Amino acid sequence: MKTLKDLDISNKKVIIRCDFNVPIKDGKIVDDTRIQGALDTIKYCIDKNCKIILLSHLGRVKEESDLEKNDLYPVSIRLSELLGKNVLFSKKTRGEELEEMINQMNPQDVLLIQNTRYEDLDGKKESSNDSELGKYWASLGEVFVNDAFGTIHRAHASNVGIASYLPSCFGFLVEKELNALSILDNPPHPFIVILGGAKVSDKIGVIKNLVKKADKILIGGGMAFTFLKAEGYSIGKSLLDEENIDFCKEILKDYKDKIILPVDVAVTNEYTNEEEYRQKEIQEIAENEMGLDIGEKTTNLFKDIINDSAIIMWNGPLGVYEFDQYKKNTCELLKYMVDKNLKVILGGGDIVAASEEAGYKEKVYHASTGGGATLEYLEGKPLPGIEAIK
Ligand code: AMP
């Protein structure tokens, strides 16, 4: 893996692709975690006396009316505060004005360029990896650093495009993600996978890839009900991914001993937090009931299985964690892992949000920041942003 320390960047013009896709409301940044996450790489480049040019996308830009709400300017202000130095901002994504700003830069200066997706207004130039745009942005610097893990599964001009024209490497954030996730390429055993979340369809690629490597796959969340249906259980009004019942049947047939399904669930009649739930064995779900969480016995079963694990990969909450009642078992299992010092990688998305809310995010071995990127990594797909630098 080519990282920042493998390239001679001293005194050079360095372009860093960051992930500053932060939530902004009424011009104010609601959560600056992603900006904080970029600081190590930026500070390292400042220490190396570089001129630092930053690129990032923010939201989606499909029409003129998307421009204002996806203006990156507030990020430059917050970044200035966090770095304790002025951050220049270019309102333009290309052109003479931007080039002149870069010409005027001194070593250690930091310049943020406007949202890369402003270029999407003109024929999706950024998102379709327009080669002329990638080449143009590359012409602004001497070295390229990709530190945006969240878009590493996409071939965009600001990551793959630029990397095609400049000596390139990964920043510290991407390095950390890849170091953690690459453990799963050849995992130590027992390797336990926990999958939850809503739909089977979102996890088919992950299941297909990891079922060969894992010792056990524990399934909870909404997706468990399609597996249970495939096993012949009545699941009442629980979430069903009809189209994938056959896929579940196949997997259950081929890997009967590896796939562990819930033995009990928390059921209710309506999709709401107001109604008190009932704990039921899996064969007792009535026609008018839906399962919104795994049950106590299942939680204990999962604890027993992970107890002697060498590594755990967990993607997707085991219940509707947005409702207080149904986050209980997800939180309990997280707590168990943390208390027992079990090595767990949280594979992005909602399980990371759930762990953060419950105060466990900083305590687990690794909580991946990339939703789609992490899932595609776990599917074993080559990721364009990685391939471009490899
Ligand atoms: P995912 O994005 O696939 O990780 O799915 C996360 C979503 O799955 C969350 O919004 C949860 O509310 C939902 N979820 C988890 N368990 C269930 C369940 N038993 N029934 C319906 N939705 C669920």
Side-chain angles (χ1 to χ4, degrees):
M1 194 192 323
K2 244 205 233 158
T3 67
L4 259 177
K5 293 184 178 162
D6 299 319
L7 279 190
D8 177 17
I9 61 164
S10 300
N11 306 308
K12 296 206 167 128
K13 268 190 286 184
V14 177
I15 302 174
I16 310 176
R17 174 56 160 100
C18 299
D19 182 359
F20 290 146
N21 188 27
V22 293
I24 296 183
K25 228 181 184 171
D26 303 324
K28 291 221 159 52
I29 294 166
V30 184
D31 177 359
D32 70 357
T33 313
R34 288 192 165 144
I35 308 178
Q36 304 242 23
L39 295 179
D40 282 352
T41 296
I42 297 172
K43 283 181 180 164
Y44 180 83
C45 295
I46 293 176
D47 287 346
K48 293 280 175 190
N49 227 27
C50 301
K51 294 175 185 171
I52 299 142
I53 301 161
L54 306 176
L55 284 167
S56 174
H57 77 283
L58 175 63
R60 290 217 168 96
V61 178
K62 288 187 176 153
E63 47 199 50
E64 291 276 337
S65 60
D66 294 327
L67 292 175
E68 202 183 326
K69 61 175 183 267
N70 292 309
D71 189 336
L72 260 188
Y73 179 68
V75 170
S76 70
I77 302 296
R78 184 68 190 124
L79 186 59
S80 297
E81 290 164 3
L82 292 169
L83 285 173
K85 71 191 274 97
N86 185 39
V87 171
L88 304 160
F89 183 71
S90 165
K91 288 186 201 155
K92 297 276 161 58
T93 48
R94 63 165 98 198
E96 262 176 47
E97 204 178 303
L98 165 65
E99 290 154 28
E100 194 42 37
M101 278 182 98
I102 293 174
N103 283 339
Q104 301 285 331
M105 282 173 81
N106 292 312
Q108 303 194 333
D109 276 355
V110 180
L111 165 75
L112 174 63
I113 295 180
Q114 183 58 283
N115 186 356
T116 54
R117 289 194 181 160
Y118 272 37
E119 290 283 345
D120 278 353
L121 264 190
D122 183 13
K124 283 205 155 232
K125 288 211 160 76
E126 154 73 331
S127 297
S128 66
N129 189 15
D130 177 80
S131 62
E132 184 268 329
L133 179 60
K135 194 172 178 181
Y136 171 73
W137 276 334
S139 75
L140 303 175
E142 296 164 283
V143 175
F144 175 63
V145 181
N146 189 353
D147 210 17
F149 185 71
T151 49
I152 210 127
H153 59 312
R154 306 266 183 240
H156 289 172
S158 65
N159 59 356
V160 170
I162 303 180
S164 323
Y165 298 101
L166 284 180
S168 305
C169 67
F170 299 115
F172 293 133
L173 256 187
V174 171
E175 184 184 354
K176 188 169 163 239
E177 288 280 1
L178 294 182
N179 276 340
L181 291 174
S182 64
I183 298 175
L184 305 178
D185 297 345
N186 291 299
H189 291 275
F191 169 37
I192 311 295
V193 173
I194 305 177
L195 292 177
K199 289 194 251 148
V200 177
S201 56
D202 295 340
K203 311 279 159 80
I204 287 181
V206 177
I207 296 172
K208 280 185 179 166
N209 187 37
L210 293 186
V211 77
K212 292 173 235 149
K213 297 180 190 175
D215 294 278
K216 294 269 186 259
I217 298 194
L218 319 182
I219 297 185
M223 63 184 277
F225 294 96
T226 306
F227 278 92
L228 289 166
K229 178 92 181 170
E231 283 273 75
Y233 290 101
S234 305
I235 59 164
K237 295 194 291 180
S238 307
L239 205 62
L240 175 65
D241 194 347
E242 190 110 39
E243 280 173 16
N244 289 306
I245 297 178
D246 285 344
F247 166 78
C248 295
K249 280 187 181 160
E250 286 288 303
I251 286 283
L252 286 166
K253 183 165 79 81
D254 294 344
Y255 297 97
K256 184 128 198 70
D257 298 334
K258 281 195 185 183
I259 310 276
I260 310 294
L261 300 178
V263 292
D264 61 348
V265 278
V267 297
T268 180
N269 294 98
E270 299 298 329
Y271 185 80
T272 162
N273 196 32
E274 313 313 320
E275 188 188 329
E276 214 170 297
Y277 69 83
R278 301 167 292 280
Q279 193 108 219
K280 285 211 162 174
E281 303 284 309
I282 221 69
Q283 62 279 6
E284 293 172 355
I285 305 174
E287 276 311 304
N288 60 349
E289 290 176 328
M290 63 179 83
L292 296 183
D293 196 4
I294 57 170
E296 254 167 48
K297 281 189 193 164
T298 307
T299 308
N300 289 332
L301 174 69
F302 286 6
K303 282 182 189 169
D304 282 347
I305 296 171
I306 60 175
N307 229 340
D308 69 339
S309 60
I311 189 133
I312 304 162
M313 198 295 296
W314 184 353
N315 182 288
L318 303 176
V320 181
Y321 80 100
E322 296 92 336
F323 295 160
D324 274 348
Q325 301 193 79
Y326 306 115
K327 64 174 68 156
K328 192 172 135 258
N329 293 297
T330 295
C331 290
E332 195 176 316
L333 207 60
L334 274 168
K335 180 175 183 319
Y336 185 80
M337 290 172 184
V338 168
D339 288 349
K340 291 250 164 185
N341 235 340
L342 298 173
K343 199 168 182 178
V344 58
I345 294 177
L346 301 181
D350 281 0
I351 187 61
V352 174
S355 74
E356 184 161 27
E357 201 190 304
Y360 296 118
K361 188 177 157 206
E362 307 305 327
K363 296 182 181 154
V364 297
Y365 174 73
H366 183 70
S368 180
T369 56
T374 309
L375 267 188
E376 290 200 18
Y377 188 99
L378 296 173
E379 287 172 9
K381 286 188 185 162
L383 306 185
I386 298 178
E387 296 304 307
I389 287 180
K390 261 193 193 162

mmCIF file of all heavy atoms in Angstrom, residues 24-47:
data_model
loop_
_atom_site.group_PDB
_atom_site.id
_atom_site.type_symbol
_atom_site.label_atom_id
_atom_site.label_comp_id
_atom_site.label_asym_id
_atom_site.label_seq_id
_atom_site.Cartn_x
_atom_site.Cartn_y
_atom_site.Cartn_z
ATOM 1 N N ILE A 24 -24.765 20.001 6.625
ATOM 2 C CA ILE A 24 -24.816 21.461 6.807
ATOM 3 C C ILE A 24 -26.281 21.901 6.846
ATOM 4 O O ILE A 24 -27.069 21.484 5.990
ATOM 5 C CB ILE A 24 -24.081 22.191 5.652
ATOM 6 C CG1 ILE A 24 -22.597 21.824 5.669
ATOM 7 C CG2 ILE A 24 -24.258 23.708 5.760
ATOM 8 C CD1 ILE A 24 -21.750 22.538 4.632
ATOM 9 N N LYS A 25 -26.626 22.662 7.866
ATOM 10 C CA LYS A 25 -28.011 23.161 7.967
ATOM 11 C C LYS A 25 -27.960 24.676 8.106
ATOM 12 O O LYS A 25 -27.226 25.188 8.954
ATOM 13 C CB LYS A 25 -28.680 22.544 9.203
ATOM 14 C CG LYS A 25 -30.043 21.981 8.879
ATOM 15 C CD LYS A 25 -30.691 21.398 10.099
ATOM 16 C CE LYS A 25 -32.011 20.762 9.656
ATOM 17 N NZ LYS A 25 -32.613 20.011 10.692
ATOM 18 N N ASP A 26 -28.699 25.368 7.253
ATOM 19 C CA ASP A 26 -28.713 26.833 7.247
ATOM 20 C C ASP A 26 -27.292 27.405 7.262
ATOM 21 O O ASP A 26 -26.982 28.315 8.042
ATOM 22 C CB ASP A 26 -29.498 27.375 8.457
ATOM 23 C CG ASP A 26 -30.916 26.836 8.499
ATOM 24 O OD1 ASP A 26 -31.479 26.670 7.397
ATOM 25 O OD2 ASP A 26 -31.438 26.571 9.597
ATOM 26 N N GLY A 27 -26.420 26.847 6.455
ATOM 27 C CA GLY A 27 -25.054 27.365 6.333
ATOM 28 C C GLY A 27 -24.145 26.970 7.491
ATOM 29 O O GLY A 27 -22.987 27.359 7.541
ATOM 30 N N LYS A 28 -24.657 26.193 8.452
ATOM 31 C CA LYS A 28 -23.844 25.810 9.622
ATOM 32 C C LYS A 28 -23.545 24.309 9.599
ATOM 33 O O LYS A 28 -24.433 23.502 9.318
ATOM 34 C CB LYS A 28 -24.601 26.122 10.926
ATOM 35 C CG LYS A 28 -24.759 27.589 11.200
ATOM 36 C CD LYS A 28 -24.541 27.889 12.700
ATOM 37 C CE LYS A 28 -24.177 29.332 12.944
ATOM 38 N NZ LYS A 28 -25.090 30.301 12.344
ATOM 39 N N ILE A 29 -22.315 23.969 9.926
ATOM 40 C CA ILE A 29 -21.939 22.555 9.948
ATOM 41 C C ILE A 29 -22.480 21.899 11.218
ATOM 42 O O ILE A 29 -22.207 22.360 12.324
ATOM 43 C CB ILE A 29 -20.409 22.422 9.867
ATOM 44 C CG1 ILE A 29 -19.958 22.934 8.493
ATOM 45 C CG2 ILE A 29 -19.958 20.980 10.080
ATOM 46 C CD1 ILE A 29 -18.489 23.180 8.374
ATOM 47 N N VAL A 30 -23.257 20.844 11.051
ATOM 48 C CA VAL A 30 -23.912 20.198 12.195
ATOM 49 C C VAL A 30 -22.955 19.208 12.876
ATOM 50 O O VAL A 30 -22.999 19.011 14.077
ATOM 51 C CB VAL A 30 -25.183 19.445 11.723
ATOM 52 C CG1 VAL A 30 -25.925 18.846 12.900
ATOM 53 C CG2 VAL A 30 -26.102 20.373 10.946
ATOM 54 N N ASP A 31 -22.109 18.559 12.087
ATOM 55 C CA ASP A 31 -21.195 17.553 12.636
ATOM 56 C C ASP A 31 -19.875 17.640 11.851
ATOM 57 O O ASP A 31 -19.858 17.432 10.638
ATOM 58 C CB ASP A 31 -21.839 16.166 12.473
ATOM 59 C CG ASP A 31 -20.948 15.043 12.956
ATOM 60 O OD1 ASP A 31 -19.811 15.324 13.408
ATOM 61 O OD2 ASP A 31 -21.371 13.868 12.878
ATOM 62 N N ASP A 32 -18.792 17.996 12.561
ATOM 63 C CA ASP A 32 -17.525 18.228 11.846
ATOM 64 C C ASP A 32 -16.557 17.037 11.936
ATOM 65 O O ASP A 32 -15.368 17.175 11.648
ATOM 66 C CB ASP A 32 -16.845 19.511 12.356
ATOM 67 C CG ASP A 32 -16.315 19.353 13.782
ATOM 68 O OD1 ASP A 32 -16.522 18.290 14.397
ATOM 69 O OD2 ASP A 32 -15.681 20.302 14.281
ATOM 70 N N THR A 33 -17.084 15.853 12.299
ATOM 71 C CA THR A 33 -16.213 14.682 12.475
ATOM 72 C C THR A 33 -15.324 14.455 11.248
ATOM 73 O O THR A 33 -14.134 14.161 11.377
ATOM 74 C CB THR A 33 -17.065 13.412 12.721
ATOM 75 O OG1 THR A 33 -18.041 13.729 13.699
ATOM 76 C CG2 THR A 33 -16.216 12.253 13.192
ATOM 77 N N ARG A 34 -15.919 14.579 10.075
ATOM 78 C CA ARG A 34 -15.143 14.297 8.856
ATOM 79 C C ARG A 34 -14.027 15.314 8.644
ATOM 80 O O ARG A 34 -12.972 14.972 8.117
ATOM 81 C CB ARG A 34 -16.064 14.261 7.645
ATOM 82 C CG ARG A 34 -16.907 13.009 7.662
ATOM 83 C CD ARG A 34 -17.609 12.818 6.349
ATOM 84 N NE ARG A 34 -18.119 11.470 6.269
ATOM 85 C CZ ARG A 34 -19.260 11.126 5.697
ATOM 86 N NH1 ARG A 34 -20.010 12.048 5.131
ATOM 87 N NH2 ARG A 34 -19.640 9.878 5.662
ATOM 88 N N ILE A 35 -14.267 16.551 9.038
ATOM 89 C CA ILE A 35 -13.221 17.571 8.892
ATOM 90 C C ILE A 35 -12.091 17.260 9.879
ATOM 91 O O ILE A 35 -10.910 17.292 9.528
ATOM 92 C CB ILE A 35 -13.781 18.998 9.114
ATOM 93 C CG1 ILE A 35 -15.006 19.215 8.233
ATOM 94 C CG2 ILE A 35 -12.714 20.049 8.826
ATOM 95 C CD1 ILE A 35 -15.680 20.570 8.405
ATOM 96 N N GLN A 36 -12.489 16.905 11.097
ATOM 97 C CA GLN A 36 -11.482 16.530 12.111
ATOM 98 C C GLN A 36 -10.647 15.353 11.607
ATOM 99 O O GLN A 36 -9.437 15.298 11.832
ATOM 100 C CB GLN A 36 -12.174 16.093 13.400
ATOM 101 C CG GLN A 36 -13.117 17.123 13.958
ATOM 102 C CD GLN A 36 -12.696 17.614 15.332
ATOM 103 O OE1 GLN A 36 -11.539 17.524 15.689
ATOM 104 N NE2 GLN A 36 -13.637 18.136 16.076
ATOM 105 N N GLY A 37 -11.325 14.423 10.931
ATOM 106 C CA GLY A 37 -10.645 13.216 10.458
ATOM 107 C C GLY A 37 -9.560 13.509 9.436
ATOM 108 O O GLY A 37 -8.643 12.696 9.230
ATOM 109 N N ALA A 38 -9.664 14.646 8.758
ATOM 110 C CA ALA A 38 -8.692 14.965 7.704
ATOM 111 C C ALA A 38 -7.455 15.687 8.247
ATOM 112 O O ALA A 38 -6.467 15.882 7.522
ATOM 113 C CB ALA A 38 -9.374 15.844 6.647
ATOM 114 N N LEU A 39 -7.515 16.082 9.519
ATOM 115 C CA LEU A 39 -6.459 16.969 10.048
ATOM 116 C C LEU A 39 -5.061 16.339 10.035
ATOM 117 O O LEU A 39 -4.078 17.009 9.696
ATOM 118 C CB LEU A 39 -6.805 17.439 11.468
ATOM 119 C CG LEU A 39 -8.053 18.332 11.583
ATOM 120 C CD1 LEU A 39 -8.306 18.705 13.038
ATOM 121 C CD2 LEU A 39 -7.894 19.599 10.741
ATOM 122 N N ASP A 40 -4.965 15.059 10.385
ATOM 123 C CA ASP A 40 -3.626 14.438 10.462
ATOM 124 C C ASP A 40 -2.886 14.535 9.131
ATOM 125 O O ASP A 40 -1.708 14.893 9.084
ATOM 126 C CB ASP A 40 -3.749 12.952 10.848
ATOM 127 C CG ASP A 40 -3.993 12.790 12.330
ATOM 128 O OD1 ASP A 40 -3.914 13.812 13.050
ATOM 129 O OD2 ASP A 40 -4.281 11.652 12.760
ATOM 130 N N THR A 41 -3.600 14.197 8.071
ATOM 131 C CA THR A 41 -2.971 14.228 6.745
ATOM 132 C C THR A 41 -2.587 15.658 6.359
ATOM 133 O O THR A 41 -1.477 15.910 5.875
ATOM 134 C CB THR A 41 -3.926 13.608 5.695
ATOM 135 O OG1 THR A 41 -4.107 12.237 6.035
ATOM 136 C CG2 THR A 41 -3.366 13.713 4.289
ATOM 137 N N ILE A 42 -3.504 16.590 6.604
ATOM 138 C CA ILE A 42 -3.226 17.990 6.233
ATOM 139 C C ILE A 42 -2.039 18.531 7.043
ATOM 140 O O ILE A 42 -1.124 19.148 6.489
ATOM 141 C CB ILE A 42 -4.485 18.873 6.438
ATOM 142 C CG1 ILE A 42 -5.613 18.392 5.516
ATOM 143 C CG2 ILE A 42 -4.171 20.343 6.153
ATOM 144 C CD1 ILE A 42 -6.962 19.064 5.772
ATOM 145 N N LYS A 43 -2.038 18.236 8.355
ATOM 146 C CA LYS A 43 -0.951 18.754 9.207
ATOM 147 C C LYS A 43 0.386 18.157 8.800
ATOM 148 O O LYS A 43 1.421 18.836 8.834
ATOM 149 C CB LYS A 43 -1.239 18.437 10.675
ATOM 150 C CG LYS A 43 -2.287 19.359 11.282
ATOM 151 C CD LYS A 43 -2.498 19.007 12.748
ATOM 152 C CE LYS A 43 -3.533 19.914 13.385
ATOM 153 N NZ LYS A 43 -4.023 19.376 14.646
ATOM 154 N N TYR A 44 0.381 16.888 8.433
ATOM 155 C CA TYR A 44 1.615 16.237 7.994
ATOM 156 C C TYR A 44 2.176 16.977 6.765
ATOM 157 O O TYR A 44 3.375 17.239 6.671
ATOM 158 C CB TYR A 44 1.325 14.766 7.667
ATOM 159 C CG TYR A 44 2.520 13.988 7.193
ATOM 160 C CD1 TYR A 44 3.429 13.438 8.103
ATOM 161 C CD2 TYR A 44 2.754 13.783 5.823
ATOM 162 C CE1 TYR A 44 4.525 12.717 7.667
ATOM 163 C CE2 TYR A 44 3.842 13.061 5.378
ATOM 164 C CZ TYR A 44 4.730 12.524 6.301
ATOM 165 O OH TYR A 44 5.817 11.805 5.867
ATOM 166 N N CYS A 45 1.281 17.339 5.850
ATOM 167 C CA CYS A 45 1.715 18.048 4.636
ATOM 168 C C CYS A 45 2.190 19.471 4.981
ATOM 169 O O CYS A 45 3.111 19.988 4.346
ATOM 170 C CB CYS A 45 0.597 18.088 3.599
ATOM 171 S SG CYS A 45 0.173 16.452 2.986
ATOM 172 N N ILE A 46 1.565 20.088 5.967
ATOM 173 C CA ILE A 46 2.030 21.413 6.404
ATOM 174 C C ILE A 46 3.452 21.275 6.954
ATOM 175 O O ILE A 46 4.354 22.054 6.608
ATOM 176 C CB ILE A 46 1.086 22.022 7.472
ATOM 177 C CG1 ILE A 46 -0.280 22.338 6.848
ATOM 178 C CG2 ILE A 46 1.699 23.297 8.075
ATOM 179 C CD1 ILE A 46 -1.330 22.850 7.835
ATOM 180 N N ASP A 47 3.663 20.257 7.785
ATOM 181 C CA ASP A 47 5.003 20.035 8.363
ATOM 182 C C ASP A 47 6.058 19.792 7.287
ATOM 183 O O ASP A 47 7.235 20.064 7.479
ATOM 184 C CB ASP A 47 4.989 18.820 9.312
ATOM 185 C CG ASP A 47 4.276 19.161 10.613
ATOM 186 O OD1 ASP A 47 4.053 20.363 10.862
ATOM 187 O OD2 ASP A 47 3.925 18.220 11.355
#
